[in-house]
Coordinates of all heavy atoms in Angstrom, one line a residue:
M1 N -7.8 16.9 10.2 CA -8.6 16.1 9.5 C -7.6 15.4 8.4 O -6.7 15.9 8.0 CB -9.5 16.8 8.6 CG -10.5 17.6 9.4 SD -11.7 18.7 8.4 CE -12.7 17.4 7.9
T2 N -8.0 14.1 8.3 CA -7.1 13.4 7.4 C -8.0 12.6 6.3 O -9.2 12.1 6.7 CB -6.3 12.3 7.9 OG1 -7.1 11.3 8.8 CG2 -5.2 13.0 8.9
G3 N -7.5 12.3 5.2 CA -8.1 11.4 4.1 C -7.2 10.3 3.7 O -6.0 10.3 4.2
N4 N -7.6 9.6 2.8 CA -6.7 8.5 2.3 C -6.5 8.6 0.8 O -7.6 8.9 0.0 CB -7.3 7.1 2.7 CG -7.3 6.8 4.1 OD1 -6.4 7.2 4.7 ND2 -8.2 6.0 4.6
K5 N -5.3 8.5 0.3 CA -5.0 8.6 -1.1 C -4.7 7.0 -1.5 O -4.0 6.3 -0.7 CB -3.7 9.3 -1.3 CG -3.3 9.4 -2.7 CD -2.1 10.3 -2.7 CE -1.3 10.2 -4.1 NZ 0.0 11.0 -4.1
I6 N -5.2 6.6 -2.6 CA -5.1 5.2 -3.1 C -3.9 5.3 -4.1 O -4.0 5.9 -5.1 CB -6.3 4.7 -3.6 CG1 -7.3 4.7 -2.6 CG2 -6.0 3.3 -4.1 CD1 -7.2 3.8 -1.3
V7 N -2.8 4.5 -3.8 CA -1.7 4.3 -4.8 C -1.6 2.9 -5.2 O -1.5 2.0 -4.4 CB -0.4 4.7 -4.0 CG1 0.8 4.4 -4.9 CG2 -0.4 6.1 -3.5
P8 N -1.7 2.7 -6.6 CA -1.6 1.3 -7.0 C -0.3 0.7 -6.9 O 0.7 1.3 -7.0 CB -1.9 1.4 -8.6 CG -1.6 2.8 -8.9 CD -1.8 3.6 -7.6
V9 N -0.1 -0.6 -6.4 CA 1.1 -1.3 -6.1 C 1.2 -2.5 -6.9 O 2.5 -2.8 -7.2 CB 1.2 -1.5 -4.8 CG1 1.5 -0.4 -3.9 CG2 0.2 -2.5 -4.1
G10 N 0.2 -3.0 -7.4 CA 0.6 -4.3 -8.3 C -0.2 -5.5 -7.7 O -1.1 -5.4 -7.0
E11 N 0.4 -6.7 -8.0 CA -0.2 -7.9 -7.6 C 0.8 -8.7 -6.8 O 2.0 -8.4 -6.8 CB -0.7 -8.8 -8.9 CG -1.6 -8.1 -9.7 CD -1.9 -8.9 -11.0 OE1 -1.3 -9.9 -11.3 OE2 -2.9 -8.5 -11.7
I12 N 0.3 -9.8 -6.1 CA 1.1 -10.7 -5.4 C 2.0 -11.5 -6.2 O 1.6 -12.1 -7.2 CB 0.3 -11.6 -4.4 CG1 -0.5 -10.8 -3.5 CG2 1.0 -12.6 -3.7 CD1 -1.5 -11.6 -2.7
R13 N 3.3 -11.4 -6.0 CA 4.3 -12.1 -7.0 C 4.6 -13.5 -6.3 O 4.7 -14.5 -7.2 CB 5.7 -11.5 -7.1 CG 5.4 -10.1 -7.9 CD 5.1 -10.4 -9.3 NE 4.8 -9.3 -10.1 CZ 4.1 -9.3 -11.2 NH1 3.4 -10.4 -11.5 NH2 3.7 -8.1 -11.8
S14 N 4.7 -13.6 -5.0 CA 5.1 -15.0 -4.4 C 4.7 -14.8 -2.9 O 4.4 -13.8 -2.4 CB 6.5 -15.4 -4.6 OG 7.3 -14.5 -3.9
I15 N 4.5 -16.0 -2.4 CA 4.4 -16.1 -0.9 C 5.7 -16.4 -0.3 O 6.3 -17.6 -0.7 CB 3.3 -17.2 -0.6 CG1 2.0 -16.6 -1.2 CG2 3.2 -17.4 1.0 CD1 0.9 -17.7 -0.9
V16 N 6.2 -15.7 0.6 CA 7.6 -16.0 1.3 C 7.4 -16.1 2.9 O 6.4 -15.6 3.4 CB 8.5 -14.9 0.9 CG1 8.8 -14.9 -0.7 CG2 8.0 -13.5 1.2
L17 N 8.4 -16.6 3.4 CA 8.5 -16.7 5.0 C 7.2 -17.3 5.6 O 6.6 -16.6 6.6 CB 8.8 -15.3 5.5 CG 10.1 -14.7 5.0 CD1 10.0 -13.1 5.5 CD2 11.2 -15.3 5.5
G18 N 6.7 -18.3 5.1 CA 5.6 -18.9 5.6 C 4.2 -18.4 5.0 O 3.8 -19.0 4.0
N19 N 3.7 -17.4 5.5 CA 2.6 -16.8 5.0 C 2.5 -15.2 4.5 O 1.4 -14.7 4.3 CB 1.4 -16.9 5.9 CG 1.6 -16.1 7.2 OD1 2.8 -15.6 7.3 ND2 0.7 -15.9 8.1
K20 N 3.7 -14.7 4.4 CA 3.9 -13.3 4.0 C 3.8 -13.2 2.4 O 4.2 -14.2 1.6 CB 5.3 -12.7 4.4 CG 5.4 -13.0 5.9 CD 4.8 -11.9 6.7 CE 5.2 -12.0 8.2 NZ 4.8 -13.2 8.9
W21 N 3.4 -12.2 1.9 CA 3.2 -11.8 0.5 C 4.3 -10.9 0.1 O 4.7 -10.0 0.7 CB 1.9 -11.3 0.1 CG 0.7 -11.9 0.6 CD1 0.6 -13.2 0.7 CD2 -0.6 -11.4 0.7 NE1 -0.7 -13.5 1.1 CE2 -1.4 -12.4 1.1 CE3 -1.0 -10.1 0.6 CZ2 -2.8 -12.2 1.4 CZ3 -2.4 -9.8 1.1 CH2 -3.2 -10.9 1.3
L22 N 4.9 -11.2 -1.2 CA 5.8 -10.3 -1.9 C 5.1 -9.6 -2.9 O 4.6 -10.3 -4.0 CB 6.9 -11.0 -2.4 CG 8.2 -10.3 -2.8 CD1 8.8 -9.6 -1.6 CD2 9.3 -11.2 -3.3
V23 N 4.9 -8.3 -2.8 CA 4.1 -7.5 -3.8 C 5.0 -6.6 -4.6 O 5.6 -5.8 -4.0 CB 2.9 -6.8 -3.2 CG1 2.1 -5.9 -4.0 CG2 2.1 -7.7 -2.3
E24 N 4.7 -6.5 -5.9 CA 5.6 -5.6 -6.7 C 5.1 -4.2 -6.5 O 3.9 -3.9 -6.5 CB 5.4 -6.0 -8.1 CG 6.3 -5.2 -8.9 CD 6.1 -5.7 -10.4 OE1 5.8 -6.7 -10.7 OE2 6.6 -4.9 -11.3
G25 N 6.0 -3.3 -6.1 CA 5.7 -1.9 -5.8 C 5.5 -1.0 -7.1 O 6.0 -1.4 -8.2
D26 N 4.9 0.1 -7.0 CA 4.8 1.0 -8.1 C 6.0 1.7 -8.2 O 6.7 2.3 -7.3 CB 3.6 2.0 -7.8 CG 3.4 2.9 -8.8 OD1 3.8 2.6 -10.1 OD2 2.8 4.1 -8.7
Q27 N 6.7 1.9 -9.4 CA 7.8 2.5 -9.7 C 7.8 4.0 -9.6 O 8.7 4.7 -9.5 CB 8.3 2.0 -11.1 CG 8.6 0.6 -11.3 CD 9.0 0.3 -12.5 OE1 9.0 1.1 -13.5 NE2 9.3 -1.0 -12.7
N28 N 6.6 4.6 -9.9 CA 6.3 6.0 -9.8 C 6.3 6.6 -8.4 O 6.4 7.8 -8.1 CB 5.2 6.4 -10.6 CG 5.3 6.0 -12.0 OD1 6.5 6.1 -12.6 ND2 4.2 5.5 -12.6
Y29 N 6.1 5.8 -7.3 CA 5.9 6.1 -5.9 C 7.3 6.3 -5.3 O 8.1 5.3 -5.4 CB 4.9 5.4 -5.2 CG 4.6 5.8 -3.8 CD1 3.7 6.8 -3.6 CD2 5.1 5.1 -2.7 CE1 3.3 7.2 -2.3 CE2 4.8 5.5 -1.4 CZ 3.9 6.6 -1.3 OH 3.6 7.0 -0.1
D30 N 7.7 7.3 -4.6 CA 9.0 7.3 -4.0 C 8.8 6.8 -2.6 O 8.4 7.4 -1.7 CB 9.4 8.7 -3.9 CG 10.8 9.1 -3.6 OD1 11.5 8.0 -3.4 OD2 11.2 10.2 -3.3
Y31 N 9.4 5.6 -2.4 CA 9.3 4.9 -1.1 C 10.4 5.3 -0.2 O 10.3 5.0 1.0 CB 9.4 3.3 -1.3 CG 8.3 2.7 -2.1 CD1 8.3 2.4 -3.4 CD2 7.1 2.6 -1.5 CE1 7.2 1.9 -4.1 CE2 6.0 2.1 -2.1 CZ 6.1 1.7 -3.5 OH 5.0 1.1 -4.2
S32 N 11.4 6.1 -0.6 CA 12.3 6.6 0.2 C 11.9 7.8 1.0 O 12.3 7.9 2.0 CB 13.7 6.8 -0.6 OG 13.5 7.8 -1.6
K33 N 11.2 8.7 0.4 CA 10.6 9.8 1.0 C 9.5 9.6 1.9 O 9.2 10.1 2.9 CB 10.3 10.9 0.0 CG 11.6 11.5 -0.7 CD 11.1 12.6 -1.6 CE 12.4 13.2 -2.2 NZ 12.1 14.3 -3.2
R34 N 8.6 8.7 1.3 CA 7.2 8.4 2.1 C 7.3 6.9 2.5 O 7.0 6.0 1.7 CB 6.1 8.8 1.3 CG 6.0 10.2 0.9 CD 4.8 10.4 0.0 NE 5.2 11.4 -0.9 CZ 5.4 11.4 -2.2 NH1 5.2 10.1 -2.8 NH2 5.5 12.3 -2.9
D35 N 7.8 6.5 3.6 CA 7.9 5.1 4.0 C 6.6 4.5 4.3 O 5.9 5.0 5.1 CB 8.9 5.2 5.3 CG 9.0 3.7 5.8 OD1 9.1 2.8 4.9 OD2 9.5 3.5 7.1
P36 N 6.2 3.4 3.5 CA 5.0 2.7 3.7 C 4.9 1.7 4.8 O 3.9 1.1 4.8 CB 4.7 2.1 2.3 CG 6.1 1.7 1.9 CD 7.1 2.9 2.4
T37 N 6.0 1.5 5.5 CA 5.9 0.6 6.6 C 4.8 0.8 7.6 O 4.7 2.0 8.1 CB 7.2 0.5 7.3 OG1 8.3 0.3 6.3 CG2 7.2 -0.6 8.4
G38 N 3.9 -0.1 7.8 CA 2.8 0.0 8.7 C 1.5 0.5 8.2 O 0.5 0.5 8.7
L39 N 1.6 0.8 6.7 CA 0.3 1.3 6.0 C -0.5 0.0 5.5 O 0.1 -1.1 5.4 CB 0.8 2.1 4.8 CG 1.4 3.5 5.2 CD1 1.7 4.2 3.8 CD2 0.5 4.3 6.1
I40 N -1.8 0.2 5.3 CA -2.7 -0.8 5.0 C -2.8 -0.9 3.4 O -2.6 -0.1 2.6 CB -4.1 -0.5 5.4 CG1 -4.0 -0.3 6.9 CG2 -5.2 -1.6 5.0 CD1 -3.7 -1.6 7.7
I41 N -2.8 -2.3 2.9 CA -2.9 -2.7 1.7 C -4.5 -3.1 1.3 O -5.0 -3.9 2.1 CB -2.1 -4.0 1.1 CG1 -0.6 -3.5 1.3 CG2 -2.4 -4.4 -0.2 CD1 -0.1 -2.6 0.2
V42 N -5.1 -2.5 0.3 CA -6.6 -2.8 0.0 C -6.5 -3.4 -1.3 O -5.7 -3.3 -2.2 CB -7.4 -1.5 0.1 CG1 -7.4 -1.0 1.5 CG2 -6.9 -0.4 -0.7
D43 N -7.7 -4.1 -1.5 CA -7.9 -4.7 -3.0 C -8.8 -3.7 -3.8 O -9.0 -2.5 -3.4 CB -8.5 -6.1 -2.9 CG -9.8 -6.1 -2.2 OD1 -10.4 -5.1 -1.8 OD2 -10.5 -7.2 -2.1
S44 N -9.2 -4.1 -5.1 CA -9.9 -3.2 -5.9 C -11.2 -2.8 -5.3 O -11.9 -1.8 -5.7 CB -10.1 -3.9 -7.3 OG -10.8 -5.0 -7.1
K45 N -11.8 -3.6 -4.4 CA -13.1 -3.2 -3.8 C -13.0 -2.5 -2.4 O -13.8 -2.5 -1.7 CB -13.8 -4.5 -3.5 CG -14.3 -5.2 -4.9 CD -15.1 -6.4 -4.6 CE -15.5 -7.2 -5.9 NZ -16.3 -8.4 -5.7
R46 N -11.7 -2.0 -2.1 CA -11.4 -1.3 -0.8 C -11.5 -2.1 0.4 O -11.7 -1.6 1.4 CB -12.1 0.0 -1.0 CG -11.6 1.0 -1.9 CD -11.8 2.4 -1.3 NE -11.1 3.3 -2.1 CZ -11.0 4.6 -1.9 NH1 -11.5 5.0 -0.8 NH2 -10.3 5.4 -2.6
R47 N -11.3 -3.4 0.3 CA -11.3 -4.3 1.5 C -9.8 -4.3 2.1 O -8.9 -4.6 1.2 CB -11.9 -5.7 1.1 CG -13.4 -5.7 0.8 CD -13.7 -7.1 0.5 NE -13.1 -7.6 -0.7 CZ -13.4 -8.5 -1.5 NH1 -14.4 -9.3 -1.0 NH2 -12.9 -8.8 -2.6
R48 N -9.8 -4.1 3.2 CA -8.3 -4.3 3.8 C -7.8 -5.7 3.9 O -8.5 -6.6 4.4 CB -8.5 -3.7 5.1 CG -8.6 -2.2 5.2 CD -8.7 -1.7 6.5 NE -8.9 -0.1 6.4 CZ -8.4 0.7 7.2 NH1 -7.8 0.2 8.4 NH2 -8.5 2.0 7.1
V49 N -6.8 -6.0 3.2 CA -6.2 -7.3 3.0 C -4.9 -7.6 3.6 O -4.5 -8.7 3.8 CB -6.3 -7.7 1.5 CG1 -7.6 -8.0 1.0 CG2 -5.4 -6.9 0.7
G50 N -4.1 -6.5 4.0 CA -2.8 -6.7 4.3 C -2.2 -5.5 4.9 O -2.7 -4.3 4.9
K51 N -1.0 -5.7 5.6 CA -0.3 -4.5 6.2 C 1.1 -4.6 5.7 O 1.9 -5.6 5.8 CB -0.3 -4.7 7.8 CG 0.3 -3.5 8.5 CD 0.1 -3.8 10.1 CE 0.8 -2.6 10.7 NZ 0.7 -2.9 12.2
V52 N 1.8 -3.5 5.3 CA 3.2 -3.4 4.9 C 4.1 -3.6 6.1 O 4.0 -2.8 7.0 CB 3.4 -2.1 4.1 CG1 4.9 -2.1 3.6 CG2 2.6 -2.0 2.9
L53 N 4.9 -4.6 5.8 CA 6.0 -4.8 6.9 C 7.5 -4.2 6.5 O 8.0 -3.6 7.4 CB 6.3 -6.3 7.1 CG 5.1 -7.1 7.7 CD1 5.5 -8.6 7.7 CD2 4.7 -6.5 9.0
D54 N 7.8 -4.1 5.2 CA 9.1 -3.7 4.8 C 9.1 -3.5 3.3 O 8.3 -3.9 2.5 CB 10.2 -4.6 5.2 CG 11.5 -4.1 5.2 OD1 11.6 -2.8 5.0 OD2 12.5 -4.7 5.3
V55 N 10.1 -2.6 2.8 CA 10.3 -2.4 1.4 C 11.5 -3.0 1.1 O 12.6 -2.9 1.7 CB 10.4 -0.9 1.0 CG1 10.6 -0.8 -0.5 CG2 9.0 -0.2 1.5
I56 N 11.6 -4.0 0.0 CA 12.7 -4.8 -0.4 C 13.1 -4.5 -1.9 O 12.2 -4.3 -2.6 CB 12.5 -6.3 -0.2 CG1 12.0 -6.6 1.3 CG2 13.5 -7.1 -0.6 CD1 11.5 -8.0 1.4
G57 N 14.3 -4.5 -2.1 CA 14.8 -4.3 -3.4 C 15.3 -2.9 -3.8 O 15.5 -2.1 -2.8
N58 N 15.7 -2.7 -5.0 CA 16.2 -1.4 -5.3 C 15.1 -0.3 -5.8 O 13.9 -0.7 -5.6 CB 17.2 -1.5 -6.6 CG 16.5 -2.1 -7.8 OD1 15.4 -2.2 -7.9 ND2 17.5 -2.6 -8.7
V59 N 15.6 0.9 -6.0 CA 14.5 1.9 -6.4 C 13.8 1.7 -7.6 O 12.7 1.9 -7.7 CB 15.4 3.3 -6.6 CG1 14.5 4.4 -6.8 CG2 16.1 3.5 -5.1
T60 N 14.5 1.1 -8.7 CA 13.7 1.0 -9.9 C 12.7 -0.1 -9.9 O 11.7 -0.2 -10.6 CB 14.8 0.7 -11.1 OG1 15.6 -0.5 -10.7 CG2 15.7 1.7 -11.3
K61 N 12.9 -1.1 -9.0 CA 11.7 -2.2 -9.0 C 11.7 -2.7 -7.6 O 12.2 -3.7 -7.2 CB 12.3 -3.5 -10.0 CG 11.2 -4.3 -10.0 CD 11.6 -5.4 -11.3 CE 10.5 -6.4 -11.4 NZ 9.6 -6.2 -12.5
P62 N 11.0 -1.8 -6.8 CA 10.7 -2.1 -5.3 C 9.6 -3.2 -5.2 O 8.8 -3.4 -5.9 CB 10.3 -0.8 -4.7 CG 9.7 -0.2 -5.9 CD 10.3 -0.6 -7.1
F63 N 9.7 -4.0 -4.2 CA 8.9 -4.9 -3.6 C 8.4 -4.7 -2.2 O 9.2 -4.3 -1.4 CB 9.4 -6.4 -3.7 CG 9.6 -6.9 -5.2 CD1 10.7 -6.7 -5.8 CD2 8.5 -7.6 -5.7 CE1 10.8 -7.3 -7.1 CE2 8.5 -8.0 -7.0 CZ 9.8 -7.9 -7.7
L64 N 7.1 -4.9 -2.0 CA 6.7 -4.8 -0.6 C 6.5 -6.0 0.1 O 5.9 -6.9 -0.4 CB 5.3 -4.0 -0.6 CG 5.4 -2.6 -1.3 CD1 3.9 -2.0 -1.4 CD2 6.2 -1.7 -0.6
L65 N 6.9 -6.3 1.3 CA 6.7 -7.4 2.1 C 5.5 -7.2 2.9 O 5.4 -6.2 3.8 CB 7.8 -7.7 3.1 CG 7.8 -9.0 3.9 CD1 7.7 -10.3 3.0 CD2 8.9 -9.1 4.8
V66 N 4.4 -7.9 2.7 CA 3.0 -7.6 3.2 C 2.5 -8.8 4.1 O 2.7 -10.0 3.8 CB 2.0 -7.4 2.1 CG1 0.6 -7.3 2.7 CG2 2.4 -6.3 1.3
E67 N 2.1 -8.5 5.4 CA 1.4 -9.4 6.2 C 0.0 -9.5 6.0 O -0.6 -8.5 6.1 CB 1.8 -9.1 7.6 CG 1.3 -10.2 8.5 CD 1.5 -9.8 10.1 OE1 1.9 -8.7 10.4 OE2 1.3 -10.7 10.9
P68 N -0.6 -10.7 5.6 CA -2.0 -10.7 5.3 C -2.9 -10.4 6.6 O -2.3 -11.0 7.7 CB -2.3 -12.1 4.8 CG -1.1 -12.9 5.2 CD 0.1 -11.8 5.4
L69 N -4.1 -9.9 6.4 CA -4.9 -9.6 7.6 C -5.9 -10.8 7.8 O -6.6 -10.9 8.8 CB -5.6 -8.3 7.5 CG -4.7 -6.9 7.6 CD1 -5.6 -5.8 7.3 CD2 -4.0 -6.9 8.8
G70 N -6.2 -11.4 6.7 CA -7.2 -12.5 6.7 C -6.5 -13.8 6.1 O -5.3 -13.9 5.9
D71 N -7.3 -14.7 5.9 CA -7.0 -16.1 5.3 C -7.0 -16.1 3.9 O -6.4 -16.9 3.3 CB -7.8 -17.3 5.9 CG -7.6 -17.4 7.5 OD1 -6.5 -17.0 7.9 OD2 -8.5 -17.9 8.1
Q72 N -7.8 -15.2 3.2 CA -7.9 -15.3 1.8 C -6.7 -14.5 1.2 O -6.5 -13.3 1.6 CB -9.4 -14.8 1.4 CG -10.4 -15.6 1.9 CD -11.7 -15.0 1.5 OE1 -11.8 -14.0 0.8 NE2 -13.0 -15.7 1.8
K73 N -6.4 -15.1 -0.1 CA -5.4 -14.4 -0.9 C -6.2 -13.7 -2.0 O -7.0 -14.3 -2.7 CB -4.5 -15.4 -1.5 CG -3.4 -14.9 -2.4 CD -2.6 -16.0 -3.0 CE -1.7 -15.5 -4.2 NZ -1.0 -16.5 -4.8
P74 N -6.0 -12.3 -2.1 CA -6.7 -11.6 -3.2 C -6.1 -11.9 -4.6 O -4.9 -12.0 -4.7 CB -6.6 -10.1 -2.7 CG -5.4 -10.2 -1.9 CD -5.3 -11.5 -1.2
Y75 N -6.9 -12.0 -5.6 CA -6.4 -12.4 -7.0 C -6.5 -11.1 -7.8 O -6.0 -11.3 -9.0 CB -7.2 -13.4 -7.5 CG -6.9 -14.8 -6.7 CD1 -7.9 -15.2 -5.9 CD2 -5.9 -15.6 -6.9 CE1 -7.7 -16.4 -5.2 CE2 -5.6 -16.7 -6.3 CZ -6.5 -17.2 -5.4 OH -6.4 -18.3 -4.6
D76 N -6.8 -10.0 -7.3 CA -6.8 -8.9 -8.3 C -5.8 -7.8 -7.9 O -4.9 -8.0 -7.0 CB -8.2 -8.2 -8.3 CG -8.6 -7.9 -6.8 OD1 -8.0 -8.4 -5.8 OD2 -9.6 -7.2 -6.7
K77 N -5.8 -6.6 -8.5 CA -4.8 -5.6 -8.3 C -4.9 -5.1 -6.8 O -6.0 -5.0 -6.3 CB -5.1 -4.5 -9.3 CG -3.8 -3.5 -9.2 CD -3.9 -2.7 -10.7 CE -2.8 -1.8 -10.7 NZ -1.5 -2.3 -10.7
L78 N -3.8 -4.8 -6.2 CA -3.6 -4.2 -4.8 C -3.3 -2.7 -4.8 O -2.6 -2.3 -5.8 CB -2.7 -5.1 -4.0 CG -2.9 -6.5 -3.8 CD1 -2.0 -7.3 -3.2 CD2 -4.3 -6.7 -3.1
F79 N -3.7 -2.1 -3.8 CA -3.4 -0.7 -3.6 C -3.0 -0.3 -2.3 O -3.3 -1.1 -1.3 CB -4.8 0.1 -4.0 CG -5.3 0.0 -5.3 CD1 -6.3 -1.1 -5.5 CD2 -5.0 0.7 -6.3 CE1 -6.9 -1.2 -6.7 CE2 -5.4 0.5 -7.7 CZ -6.4 -0.5 -7.8
L80 N -2.2 0.7 -2.1 CA -1.6 1.2 -0.9 C -2.5 2.3 -0.4 O -2.8 3.3 -1.1 CB -0.2 1.6 -1.2 CG 0.6 2.0 0.1 CD1 0.8 0.9 1.2 CD2 2.0 2.6 -0.3
E81 N -3.0 2.3 0.9 CA -3.8 3.2 1.4 C -2.9 4.2 2.2 O -2.4 4.0 3.2 CB -4.8 2.7 2.3 CG -6.0 3.5 2.6 CD -7.0 2.7 3.4 OE1 -6.6 2.1 4.5 OE2 -8.1 2.6 3.1
V82 N -2.7 5.4 1.6 CA -1.7 6.6 2.2 C -2.6 7.6 2.8 O -3.3 8.2 2.2 CB -0.8 7.1 1.2 CG1 0.2 8.1 1.7 CG2 -0.1 5.9 0.4
P83 N -2.4 7.8 4.2 CA -3.2 9.0 4.8 C -2.5 10.3 4.3 O -1.3 10.5 4.2 CB -2.8 8.6 6.3 CG -1.7 7.9 6.4 CD -1.5 7.0 5.1
V84 N -3.4 11.1 4.0 CA -3.1 12.5 3.6 C -3.7 13.6 4.4 O -5.1 13.5 4.7 CB -3.5 12.8 2.1 CG1 -3.2 14.2 1.7 CG2 -2.8 11.8 1.1
K85 N -3.1 14.5 4.9 CA -3.7 15.6 5.7 C -4.4 16.6 4.9 O -3.8 17.1 3.9 CB -2.5 16.3 6.6 CG -2.0 15.4 7.7 CD -1.1 16.3 8.5 CE -0.4 15.3 9.6 NZ 0.5 16.1 10.4
K86 N -5.6 17.0 5.3 CA -6.3 18.0 4.5 C -6.0 19.2 5.1 O -6.0 19.4 6.3 CB -7.8 17.7 4.5 CG -8.2 16.5 3.7 CD -9.8 16.3 3.7 CE -10.2 15.0 3.0 NZ -11.5 14.8 3.3
I87 N -5.8 20.2 4.3 CA -5.4 21.7 4.7 C -6.8 22.4 4.8 O -7.6 22.5 3.9 CB -4.5 22.4 3.7 CG1 -3.2 21.6 3.6 CG2 -4.2 23.8 4.1 CD1 -2.4 22.0 2.5
R88 N -6.9 23.1 6.1 CA -8.1 23.8 6.2 C -7.8 25.3 6.2 O -6.8 25.7 6.8 CB -8.7 23.4 7.6 CG -9.9 23.0 7.7 CD -10.5 22.8 9.1 NE -11.8 23.5 9.1 CZ -12.7 23.4 10.1 NH1 -12.5 22.6 11.1 NH2 -13.7 24.1 10.0
R89 N -8.4 25.9 5.3 CA -8.1 27.4 5.1 C -8.9 28.2 6.1 O -10.1 27.9 6.4 CB -8.5 27.7 3.7 CG -7.5 27.0 2.7 CD -7.8 27.5 1.4 NE -6.8 26.6 0.4 CZ -6.9 26.7 -0.8 NH1 -7.6 27.6 -1.4 NH2 -6.1 26.0 -1.5
N90 N -8.5 29.3 6.4 CA -9.1 30.3 7.3 C -10.2 31.0 6.4 O -9.9 31.5 5.3 CB -8.1 31.4 7.7 CG -8.8 32.1 8.9 OD1 -9.9 31.9 9.3 ND2 -8.0 33.1 9.4
R91 N -11.5 31.1 6.9 CA -12.6 31.5 6.2 C -13.0 32.8 6.5 O -14.2 33.1 6.7 CB -13.8 30.5 6.1 CG -13.4 29.1 5.6 CD -14.6 28.3 5.7 NE -14.1 27.0 5.1 CZ -15.0 25.9 5.2 NH1 -16.1 25.9 5.9 NH2 -14.6 24.7 4.7
R92 N -12.1 33.8 6.8 CA -12.5 35.0 7.3 C -12.5 36.0 6.0 O -12.0 35.9 5.1 CB -11.6 35.8 8.3 CG -11.8 34.9 9.5 CD -10.9 35.6 10.6 NE -11.0 35.0 11.8 CZ -10.8 35.4 12.9 NH1 -10.3 36.6 13.0 NH2 -10.8 34.5 14.1

């Protein structure tokens, strides 16, 4: 069984490489231990708006390269949807 943890990442800083987004990453999340490549970006209403392609920059100020899933650019705060495994305990 898996669930999803929501990690705040920030807002879109610029549009690069044609139609890709450069999103400022959260400094408290460790991107080197938990690679977010391939994870989904959602907006404040939990609508899926993008997919992470790569992490760019240094550890203190990381940026995420995001491919948009639709044509609309979200104007509010973005979040990273991280899958988390739920631990099932033996009920004996």
